[in-house]
Amino acid sequence: MNHPLDEHTWHRMTEEILAGMREWRQAHPKATLREIEDELDTRWARVRARMLEDMALASAAANWAATAEGQQPTCPDCGQPLRLRGTDTRTLQTHGGQSLNLARSYGTCPACGTGLFPPR
Ligand SMILES: [Zn+2]
């Protein structure tokens, strides 16, 4: 599973903010400094969350399936290499209240049955 950084999407989302803020400003000519700031923060939080998600998924630890033999995570109880079982998605909240979906690999120990997510 490869997850290249989707910079094209980052650019597109950023351009949408610039155009969107221009329109918003025209529709809200009497907005206070605080209101403008809140609007900016809300919009940037989405790009920020997307960038965070992309960069987290691109990290080597999230990409266990592609990890070389001998470098795979081991059982903390008995030291056996874990057997990859699949991926699981967890949802986190970022600063700014955006939801972040992170898929990560998990495995079980073939010797003692311990199941866990490898540490990041
Ligand atoms: Zn074990």
Side-chain angles (χ1 to χ4, degrees):
M1 185 177 73
N2 196 19
H3 194 95
L5 297 181
D6 189 1
E7 294 191 23
H8 182 74
T9 297
W10 301 353
H11 280 286
R12 185 179 52 71
M13 293 176 80
T14 301
E15 281 161 16
E16 282 172 9
I17 290 177
L18 303 183
M21 279 308 294
R22 210 179 297 125
E23 280 175 28
W24 184 88
R25 186 64 178 132
Q26 282 165 5
H28 301 82
K30 293 180 179 167
T32 63
L33 184 65
R34 181 56 193 269
E35 287 166 342
I36 298 170
E37 187 180 23
D38 284 348
E39 190 66 26
L40 269 177
D41 284 349
T42 300
R43 290 167 189 253
W44 280 117
R46 288 185 212 127
V47 183
R48 194 178 167 285
R50 176 56 186 262
M51 291 178 71
L52 192 56
E53 187 174 300
D54 285 354
M55 287 189 273
L57 290 176
S59 75
N63 201 4
W64 186 5
T67 305
E69 197 82 26
Q71 294 179 359
Q72 301 214 338
T74 54
C75 175
D77 294 334
C78 71
Q80 288 286 316
L82 296 179
R83 189 167 294 155
L84 180 64
R85 291 295 184 194
T87 57
D88 186 72
T89 302
R90 60 178 174 162
T91 302
L92 305 174
Q93 292 291 313
T94 67
H95 301 304
Q98 296 292 307
S99 291
L100 204 64
N101 293 314
L102 291 181
R104 57 181 181 167
S105 304
Y106 73 95
T108 55
C109 174
C112 72
T114 295
L116 82 166
F117 295 96
R120 293 174 174 272

